[in-house]
Amino acid sequence: MYSERIRLVSLHDRIMSAEQAAALIEDGMTVGMSGFGGAGDAKAIPAALVERAGRDPLKINLITGASLGKGLDGLMAEAGLLARRMPFQGDPVLRRAINAGEVAFIDQHLSEVVEQMRDGHIPTPDVAVVEAVAITERGHIVPTSSVGNSASLALAAKRVIVELNLGCNPLLEGLHDIHVPADRPDRQPIPLVRVDDRIGTPAIEIDPAKIAAIVICDTPETAYPMLPPDDETQAIANHLIGFFEREVARGRLAGNLAPLQVGVGSIANAVMHGLIESSFSDLTLYSEVLQDSAFALFDAGRLRFASGCSITLSEDCGRRVFAELGKYRERLVLRPQEISNHPEVARRLGIIGINTALEFDIYGNVNSTHVGGTRMMNGIGGSGDFTRNARLAIFVTKSIAKDGAISSVVPMVSHVDHTEHDVDILVTEQGLADLRGLAPRERARAIIDNCVHPDYHAALEDYFERASRRGGQTPHLLGEALSWHLNLEERGHMLKAI
Amino acid sequence: MYSERIRLVSLHDRIMSAEQAAALIEDGMTVGMSGFGGAGDAKAIPAALVERAGRDPLKINLITGASLGKGLDGLMAEAGLLARRMPFQGDPVLRRAINAGEVAFIDQHLSEVVEQMRDGHIPTPDVAVVEAVAITERGHIVPTSSVGNSASLALAAKRVIVELNLGCNPLLEGLHDIHVPADRPDRQPIPLVRVDDRIGTPAIEIDPAKIAAIVICDTPETAYPMLPPDDETQAIANHLIGFFEREVARGRLAGNLAPLQVGVGSIANAVMHGLIESSFSDLTLYSEVLQDSAFALFDAGRLRFASGCSITLSEDCGRRVFAELGKYRERLVLRPQEISNHPEVARRLGIIGINTALEFDIYGNVNSTHVGGTRMMNGIGGSGDFTRNARLAIFVTKSIAKDGAISSVVPMVSHVDHTEHDVDILVTEQGLADLRGLAPRERARAIIDNCVHPDYHAALEDYFERASRRGGQTPHLLGEALSWHLNLEERGHMLKAI
């Protein structure tokens, strides 16, 4: 029964089917939906919209926190439902539609989405759809496993649809810390000065009169596929832990390091797993997505507190953690992505940001989004928010991909998401390049000497040597700078000779 | 006489010649110097070091606020004095040495320099040299026409040399607001919530025991050469003012706009001059360098308050303003560049940032530093600090350069300083492209339709059209993307046919 989950009784008459609720969404509308990293997404309404699009012409502009789980983005793309999509996605079907130019994808720094809405750069949603674990006595919405942009989307929307997910552990209530900065010019500092500070409310404080529909569901959490650590990711973790140990020994980092931010994905997750066997304790996370590794570090007694904006776990880990939530609850907080990723807070706390690169170049510019400089993979996500403001901005990647046809270290990246100004440390399984305080030519030396796969070493060395002879602060041979990518496109391998 | 300028009497015996003071600086040392945008720089010590380098081998690592005036950077480079230079420069002689690889130039976001010092990424200065208008009763240093990094450099250095400039108007005292964030993990929010807030002290509060030398000078302020507005800069200003008027009419900006930040240089200065004839009043500046245009806007009754980290004026304007400082004093504040450029404050205040691009591409990526992708012009300066966090990030440039041999709008920039994620509005004399909320292909359409010079329109249209046919989120032809730059390098013109 749901009476203890919808505690404002007057809202009980808003309960309806997903089809009825979806009817509130009209062709051409801008719709805001909960969901971040496949956690806490609305599930019934997207499905109902897909169903409806099969009958009637229906196109919407969709704004979420970040990626949706359960293939929802793909189903919506396939149904032709998405005119515009922002700020992030990670679905193979939607990816194809984006790269074909069928869906306009606006790839945004995740902390800036609601700020852009406030400023009128992007439209305010007509309808917001938010997954909830409960609705309070005052009609406020308690989100499930992510906050993302849910609070600001619901506050800004004309009408709100709540998807009440009975499958979620009621202990999720109390985990959230909803703080929304005031409009300018009356904005005050964000009062968060410690990772475990709570500065907001446990629910989204909307006017309950805006709740136009409540849809009851009982859907299990989405599981996030996670590759296990392998030799290369273990080597990356070892290089990084060795670096941290040296920094502690030199007095540049404390024994508990600094608040850690860790990007989404198997490599970053594996790197974090490496910390389990390390000498560091009393660690804290001030991150975006809390993955399996966060809970493994809790269990190992290494992690003191974790702040994020979503909990995104693999199937096994999720089953266990969501069932035993009481065990972790006091050491967890879920925030809006505007706060978890806010430049103000990231800079104040001095986080160590660890994110995954698609490729980087000899000067330390990082591409994290565009394959071959043109085709979108997922999106920039929160990496820019953290990297620009981190105390230490670290990027990790394996040195080669596709059986060696691709080198992750190239003469010039084919697309820049993070400029060399923002990147401090690069790590592959080959080694670690410490770029701090170095001029570009020195950065190139450190990267070529430490990060490149042996198969590509001579070619990169040759490029840099010939470019340097031509001079410049950042020596390049413009006619060859992108030739590795062109080789790959034309011959299937980055090296011409092969 | 200087007794009222050195009010801590016990310091009088530290007065010595520039040569004697310069002897405190040894070969291999890291030296921090005042100076930002050619304002408030140490003058006697650099000259004495140049003189000494003529006799003895001497190399230093030089950290300043930003660029130095009076050709000092060039003289030091020519004398072989500079091993490493950060974070910015603007001197033709030093530029040549940097591009020849003779000086290691570390081009940094200006807000981050002292943060990187605190974190141990770059060395702490052995000696700091700071130009002052006075030393207080407590031995604290009152800077002259810039704050830059002077406070943090003096606080961090083992010894401090003060250049007391008797030529500076004593009314400069009281203009400065020195606030230095505490070390982490005890850092608190920066309490600045209004442009005219004062959050610090009027002098740099160092331990006077660290003042190892005082050098008395009487050097006039450096004049900054400023080109007068021309037809193109007037057209840029008109496009921008029209845009602001439409934003006010649509309710997206208030009648006094938002705090403005304006980059250094003739184009940005000319754009600001355009506001004199506009309908906007009660304007505020939260900027870096305050240029001639700030004082013209004061005089025209348009500007209410200006916050910056240096005052850098042309000869005529400087003579007048520094003589009549009392007239402006209550409406001016000079801050450390860490605060004037701080992401926390820029984002909180919601500034409109107007900076100059060297070139931009059809997707809105901006190059502001590297000619032909390789040769450093000046440095990124504060543009990244502001652009990333601005409410509206605007870049301006003329659409062509070198009699049309160069288009400022290219298929792909040869170097990225600001990614498309950060750039909202692009303006040339041709028109204005409003990129907010657009996907890359839409951004290209807006840029090609509005900003390109007619001579390059067909070629850019053709590139985009052929690239789009190949697909992708950000369509490019990798084999041609940098061909315009290559044409310029090889044939002296960006278009092949010419």
Side-chain angles (χ1 to χ4, degrees):
Chain A
M1 255 304 291
Y2 51 75
S3 60
E4 71 278 17
R5 298 277 194 125
I6 309 177
R7 300 200 291 267
L8 180 62
V9 178
S10 62
L11 288 176
H12 287 195
D13 64 8
R14 316 276 162 86
I15 296 171
M16 61 184 79
S17 72
E19 293 64 36
Q20 288 170 311
L24 297 171
I25 295 170
E26 293 166 25
D27 187 47
M29 276 189 170
T30 295
V31 180
M33 288 191 188
S34 65
F36 194 109
D41 31 42
K43 294 154 187 111
I45 297 295
L49 290 172
V50 166
E51 155 93 33
R52 198 173 121 203
R55 300 189 306 268
D56 306 311
L58 183 61
K59 273 203 185 294
I60 62 169
N61 307 313
L62 178 61
I63 307 175
T64 59
S67 55
L68 301 181
K70 297 212 177 283
L72 288 172
D73 260 322
L75 291 169
M76 286 190 277
E78 210 160 41
L81 196 60
L82 302 178
R84 306 173 76 70
R85 177 78 176 92
M86 59 192 91
F88 187 83
Q89 61 80 39
D91 184 278
V93 178
L94 175 54
R95 185 180 298 142
R96 212 173 303 129
I98 287 169
N99 286 320
E102 293 159 15
V103 177
F105 178 53
I106 298 98
D107 180 29
Q108 291 162 302
H109 293 302
L110 296 185
S111 78
E112 289 184 347
V113 180
V114 296
E115 195 81 285
Q116 293 185 356
M117 198 178 291
R118 276 184 206 115
D119 291 339
H121 303 182
I122 57 173
T124 297
D126 298 288
V127 178
V129 187
V130 178
E131 190 187 61
V133 67
I135 298 175
T136 70
E137 293 78 1
R138 299 172 62 197
H140 298 165
I141 301 170
V142 182
T144 58
S145 53
S146 75
V147 182
N149 283 323
S150 300
S152 291
L153 291 170
L155 288 165
K158 295 174 196 75
R159 307 171 94 176
V160 177
I161 301 172
V162 177
E163 288 198 14
L164 189 78
N165 189 340
L166 299 176
C168 289
N169 188 332
L171 284 180
L172 280 169
E173 191 167 354
L175 222 58
H176 311 93
D177 185 45
I178 314 287
H179 174 92
V180 178
D183 285 350
R184 305 182 192 108
D186 298 312
R187 188 170 301 175
Q188 298 297 311
I190 298 170
L192 198 156
V193 296
R194 303 269 171 187
V195 169
D196 53 358
D197 279 347
R198 286 179 172 271
I199 61 170
T201 56
I204 302 169
E205 299 194 336
I206 59 159
D207 174 0
K210 288 211 302 190
I211 298 181
I214 300 172
V215 177
I216 312 281
C217 332
D218 188 352
T219 332
E221 285 289 330
T222 306
Y224 192 87
M226 191 64 75
L227 299 173
D230 58 25
D231 287 351
E232 279 84 26
T233 57
Q234 188 57 53
I236 292 170
N238 292 346
H239 293 310
L240 201 50
I241 288 163
F243 167 77
F244 288 150
E245 285 168 348
R246 293 191 297 278
E247 289 294 293
V248 172
R250 294 180 64 170
R252 293 204 284 217
L253 283 176
N256 62 350
L257 304 179
L260 294 162
Q261 173 269 327
V262 188
V264 189
S266 298
I267 296 184
N269 188 57
V271 167
M272 289 304 286
H273 266 286
L275 284 170
I276 292 173
E277 302 298 322
S278 75
S279 59
F280 305 109
S281 60
D282 198 33
L283 297 169
T284 56
L285 273 171
Y286 191 82
S287 201
E288 194 178 73
V289 173
L290 303 179
Q291 300 177 88
D292 290 11
S293 52
F295 295 89
L297 284 165
F298 272 135
D299 293 342
R302 300 269 167 219
L303 187 63
R304 183 172 64 74
F305 199 91
S307 164
C309 88
S310 86
I311 301 176
T312 301
L313 304 176
S314 69
E315 191 161 353
D316 284 356
C317 184
R319 200 179 304 118
R320 191 178 64 70
V321 164
F322 287 115
E324 301 176 358
L325 204 55
K327 205 170 128 185
Y328 303 102
R329 209 164 163 262
E330 297 304 313
R331 298 190 289 163
L332 276 180
V333 62
L334 290 182
R335 310 183 189 280
Q337 68 196 66
E338 182 175 19
I339 303 300
S340 66
N341 293 19
H342 204 290
E344 172 174 338
V345 181
R347 178 100 177 242
R348 182 181 302 145
L349 298 181
I351 61 157
I352 298 174
I354 306 170
N355 291 284
T356 305
L358 202 60
E359 63 176 3
F360 56 83
D361 68 25
I362 54 173
Y363 300 108
N365 298 287
V366 171
N367 174 8
S368 44
T369 55
H370 282 71
V371 177
T374 60
R375 294 185 303 289
M376 176 57 61
M377 179 63 89
N378 298 328
I380 191 168
S383 58
D385 290 323
F386 293 111
T387 299
R388 172 64 60 89
N389 295 292
R391 170 184 190 147
L392 271 173
I394 300 168
F395 279 91
V396 294
T397 183
K398 297 184 181 187
S399 70
I400 51 171
K402 299 253 191 253
D403 289 328
I406 295 174
S407 171
S408 306
V409 194
V410 293
M412 178 187 264
V413 286
S414 56
H415 180 91
V416 177
D417 290 296
H418 313 285
T419 73
E420 57 102 353
H421 304 286
D422 292 338
V423 178
D424 297 314
I425 307 284
L426 292 170
V427 198
T428 68
E429 80 289 351
Q430 300 294 320
L432 180 146
D434 182 349
L435 309 174
R436 297 173 295 168
L438 300 186
R441 290 171 190 229
E442 298 167 320
R443 294 169 71 93
R445 197 64 273 152
I447 291 168
I448 296 172
D449 288 349
N450 291 288
C451 297
V452 187
H453 191 274
D455 292 354
Y456 286 90
H457 192 276
L460 212 53
E461 183 80 44
D462 173 61
Y463 177 86
F464 177 56
E465 200 268 318
R466 286 183 296 119
S468 294
R469 260 188 273 148
R470 303 203 56 203
Q473 160 81 350
T474 304
H476 270 303
L477 305 166
L478 289 189
E480 285 182 42
L482 298 174
S483 64
W484 292 28
H485 301 87
L486 204 58
N487 287 341
L488 180 69
E489 202 175 290
E490 292 174 355
R491 303 155 200 247
H493 197 287
M494 278 197 169
L495 290 185
K496 206 174 193 160
I498 291 172
Chain B
M1 257 303 292
Y2 49 77
S3 58
E4 70 278 16
R5 298 279 193 121
I6 309 177
R7 300 199 291 268
L8 180 62
V9 179
S10 63
L11 288 176
H12 287 197
D13 64 6
R14 314 276 162 86
I15 297 170
M16 61 184 80
S17 71
E19 292 66 36
Q20 287 170 312
L24 296 171
I25 295 171
E26 294 165 25
D27 187 48
M29 274 187 170
T30 295
V31 180
M33 287 191 189
S34 65
F36 195 109
D41 31 41
K43 293 152 187 117
I45 298 296
L49 290 173
V50 166
E51 155 92 31
R52 201 174 118 203
R55 298 189 308 268
D56 306 311
L58 184 62
K59 273 203 184 292
I60 62 168
N61 307 313
L62 179 61
I63 307 175
T64 60
S67 55
L68 302 180
K70 298 214 175 283
L72 288 172
D73 260 323
L75 291 169
M76 286 190 277
E78 209 161 41
L81 196 59
L82 301 178
R84 305 174 76 71
R85 178 76 175 93
M86 58 192 90
F88 188 83
Q89 62 79 39
D91 185 277
V93 178
L94 175 55
R95 185 180 297 142
R96 212 173 303 132
I98 286 169
N99 286 319
E102 294 157 14
V103 176
F105 178 52
I106 297 97
D107 180 28
Q108 291 161 300
H109 294 302
L110 296 186
S111 78
E112 288 184 347
V113 180
V114 297
E115 195 81 285
Q116 293 186 356
M117 197 178 293
R118 273 182 210 117
D119 290 339
H121 302 181
I122 57 173
T124 298
D126 298 289
V127 178
V129 187
V130 178
E131 191 187 61
V133 67
I135 298 175
T136 70
E137 293 76 1
R138 298 172 62 197
H140 298 167
I141 302 169
V142 182
T144 59
S145 53
S146 75
V147 181
N149 284 323
S150 299
S152 290
L153 291 171
L155 289 165
K158 295 173 194 77
R159 308 170 94 177
V160 177
I161 301 172
V162 176
E163 288 197 13
L164 189 79
N165 189 342
L166 299 177
C168 288
N169 188 333
L171 284 178
L172 280 169
E173 191 167 353
L175 220 60
H176 311 94
D177 185 45
I178 315 287
H179 173 92
V180 178
D183 286 349
R184 304 184 191 107
D186 298 312
R187 188 171 299 175
Q188 298 297 313
I190 298 170
L192 198 157
V193 296
R194 303 271 171 187
V195 169
D196 53 358
D197 279 346
R198 286 178 174 271
I199 61 171
T201 56
I204 301 169
E205 299 194 335
I206 59 159
D207 175 359
K210 288 212 301 192
I211 299 182
I214 301 173
V215 176
I216 311 283
C217 332
D218 188 352
T219 330
E221 285 289 331
T222 306
Y224 192 87
M226 191 65 75
L227 298 173
D230 57 25
D231 287 351
E232 280 86 26
T233 57
Q234 189 57 54
I236 292 171
N238 292 347
H239 293 310
L240 201 49
I241 287 163
F243 166 76
F244 288 149
E245 285 167 349
R246 293 191 296 279
E247 288 294 292
V248 172
R250 295 181 64 168
R252 293 204 283 217
L253 283 175
N256 63 350
L257 304 179
L260 295 162
Q261 174 269 327
V262 189
V264 189
S266 298
I267 296 183
N269 189 58
V271 166
M272 289 304 286
H273 266 285
L275 284 170
I276 293 173
E277 302 298 322
S278 75
S279 60
F280 306 108
S281 60
D282 198 33
L283 296 169
T284 56
L285 273 171
Y286 191 82
S287 201
E288 193 178 74
V289 173
L290 303 179
Q291 301 178 91
D292 290 12
S293 52
F295 295 88
L297 285 164
F298 272 135
D299 293 341
R302 299 271 169 218
L303 187 63
R304 184 172 62 74
F305 199 91
S307 163
C309 86
S310 85
I311 302 176
T312 301
L313 303 176
S314 69
E315 191 160 354
D316 283 356
C317 184
R319 202 179 300 119
R320 190 179 64 69
V321 165
F322 287 115
E324 301 175 358
L325 204 56
K327 205 171 128 185
Y328 302 103
R329 212 165 160 260
E330 298 304 312
R331 297 192 288 165
L332 276 180
V333 63
L334 291 182
R335 311 183 189 279
Q337 68 195 66
E338 182 173 19
I339 303 300
S340 66
N341 293 20
H342 204 290
E344 173 176 338
V345 181
R347 177 103 176 238
R348 182 180 304 146
L349 298 181
I351 61 159
I352 298 175
I354 306 170
N355 292 284
T356 306
L358 202 60
E359 62 176 4
F360 56 83
D361 68 27
I362 53 173
Y363 300 109
N365 298 287
V366 171
N367 175 7
S368 44
T369 56
H370 281 71
V371 177
T374 61
R375 294 184 305 287
M376 175 58 59
M377 179 63 92
N378 297 328
I380 191 168
S383 57
D385 291 322
F386 294 112
T387 299
R388 171 65 59 91
N389 295 292
R391 171 183 189 147
L392 272 173
I394 300 167
F395 279 91
V396 295
T397 184
K398 296 185 182 187
S399 70
I400 50 170
K402 300 251 191 250
D403 289 329
I406 295 174
S407 171
S408 307
V409 195
V410 293
M412 179 188 265
V413 286
S414 55
H415 180 90
V416 178
D417 290 297
H418 313 286
T419 73
E420 58 101 353
H421 304 285
D422 291 339
V423 178
D424 298 313
I425 307 285
L426 292 169
V427 199
T428 68
E429 80 289 350
Q430 300 295 321
L432 180 145
D434 182 349
L435 308 174
R436 296 174 296 168
L438 300 186
R441 289 170 191 231
E442 299 167 320
R443 295 169 72 93
R445 197 65 271 150
I447 291 168
I448 295 171
D449 288 349
N450 291 289
C451 298
V452 186
H453 191 275
D455 292 354
Y456 285 91
H457 192 276
L460 213 53
E461 183 81 44
D462 172 60
Y463 176 86
F464 177 56
E465 200 267 317
R466 287 184 295 120
S468 294
R469 259 189 275 148
R470 302 204 55 202
Q473 160 83 348
T474 305
H476 270 302
L477 305 167
L478 289 191
E480 284 182 43
L482 298 174
S483 64
W484 291 29
H485 302 88
L486 204 58
N487 288 340
L488 180 68
E489 201 176 291
E490 291 174 356
R491 303 155 199 248
H493 198 288
M494 277 196 170
L495 290 185
K496 208 172 191 162
I498 291 175

